[in-house]
Amino acid sequence: MPISILPFNSWLYRHLLLPLICGLLLLTVLHLTQLDLVLAQWIFQQEGNTPGWSLRHNFFLEHILHNGGRHVVTLLSLTLLFTLALSFIKASLKPWRKDLLLLLANVAISILLVRFAKEYTNVSCPWDILQFGGSKPWIPFPNSLFSPMDLGQCFPGGHSSGAFAWVALYYFALHQMPSKRFRFLSFAVILGIVFAVCQELRGAHFLTHDLTSLLLSWVIATLGYGVVYRPWRQRQPSTIELPNTVAMRV
């Protein structure tokens, strides 16, 4: 199947700038209005205003969705590595190799970037702040960067990033099975939302923590696609050719 590169305007405006601008605007609104804290307070009240968050050690949330969720991400990673290794052995998988390598790089960079950011953004988890029975003041990012206190390592959301990193599946499917690209994207987003809600109910993260992980993952995947396929070389409208069907615009 011939591969056509994503048109430059589509890559730059629809896939990169539009999500980035909308994401940053949403995060800014949540920061300025303190809706992040308002939502966390509402969740905390629904759980009975119990210091330490009553659902923090809930069996389903902690062991099934949190610990079990890590195993799901590990299984996805091992499956990717196994398929990539097979592409060097089976001729039928050879056309997948470049996109598998891109997928691996995007997922790894997204997860590592979130992990690196958590160490330097100096942001507390909800269960650590005074409003919820903790001992630290609520200082959200980016104000936390200028605080002399050691507040924590909770921003961006780590658990949800393990799922959101797989939004890069969209770009893998874009070339290998374009009609299913939104299904792959939906899988990663829905799994990430499940992980995010789990942690927010446990008091581990605010909403902006997880939204930031999603935004970072999408931007990394889109930039990664740009580095590998250089869509700026495709100044004219481009198509993806499908067997026995009319060519589909991306």
Side-chain angles (χ1 to χ4, degrees):
M1 180 179 67
I3 291 179
S4 293
I5 310 306
L6 198 64
F8 175 75
N9 287 342
S10 179
W11 172 78
L12 179 63
Y13 297 111
R14 292 177 54 192
H15 290 73
L16 181 60
L17 293 182
L18 181 60
L20 178 59
I21 293 171
C22 290
L24 290 176
L25 284 175
L26 176 59
L27 290 172
T28 301
V29 169
L30 290 172
H31 174 74
L32 294 177
T33 61
Q34 298 190 357
L35 286 176
D36 226 8
L37 183 61
V38 172
L39 176 60
Q41 288 175 328
W42 180 81
I43 295 174
F44 188 67
Q45 291 172 358
Q46 301 309 305
E47 295 182 17
N49 287 316
T50 304
W53 296 74
S54 61
L55 292 181
R56 179 171 181 174
H57 298 296
N58 176 270
F59 178 82
F60 180 73
L61 295 178
E62 182 177 14
H63 297 286
I64 304 299
L65 292 185
H66 185 245
N67 297 336
R70 290 177 178 173
H71 298 321
V72 170
V73 173
T74 300
L75 180 60
L76 287 171
S77 302
L78 291 175
T79 301
L80 173 57
L81 289 171
F82 179 72
T83 306
L84 179 58
L86 277 182
S87 72
F88 289 91
I89 301 172
K90 297 187 63 175
S92 60
L93 293 179
K94 185 177 180 179
W96 290 24
R97 189 182 304 161
K98 186 175 182 178
D99 289 309
L100 286 170
L101 285 168
L102 176 59
L103 176 60
L104 177 62
N106 284 335
V107 170
I109 291 172
S110 295
I111 292 175
L112 290 174
L113 180 61
V114 168
R115 181 61 205 146
F116 177 82
K118 286 166 68 72
E119 295 181 3
Y120 290 94
T121 50
N122 193 33
V123 175
S124 303
C125 302
W127 58 41
D128 289 329
I129 68 175
L130 293 169
Q131 288 92 326
F132 306 115
S135 59
K136 299 177 181 179
W138 180 65
I139 305 177
F141 179 85
N143 308 62
S144 59
L145 294 173
F146 310 102
S147 173
M149 300 179 60
D150 181 10
L151 299 173
Q153 298 182 3
C154 283
F155 178 82
H159 188 51
S160 62
S161 72
F164 285 139
W166 292 90
V167 295
L169 280 166
Y170 172 88
Y171 291 105
F172 170 80
L174 182 65
H175 288 164
Q176 302 302 330
M177 46 193 80
S179 64
K180 297 181 180 179
R181 67 195 187 283
F182 289 111
R183 295 182 188 179
F184 280 85
L185 178 62
S186 297
F187 164 76
V189 172
I190 292 172
L191 184 63
I193 290 174
V194 171
F195 286 3
V197 171
C198 163
Q199 290 297 79
E200 289 165 29
L201 290 176
R202 296 181 64 230
H205 287 294
F206 290 107
L207 175 61
T208 53
H209 297 187
D210 297 306
L211 289 176
T212 301
S213 291
L214 172 58
L215 182 60
L216 281 174
S217 296
W218 179 257
V219 170
I220 290 298
T222 305
L223 290 175
Y225 178 90
V227 169
V228 171
Y229 284 103
R230 302 177 184 179
W232 48 86
R233 293 181 175 180
Q234 307 295 316
R235 294 293 182 173
Q236 299 301 319
S238 181
T239 60
I240 294 177
E241 299 179 20
L242 299 176
N244 303 319
T245 63
V246 177
M248 179 187 68
R249 290 191 179 275
V250 179

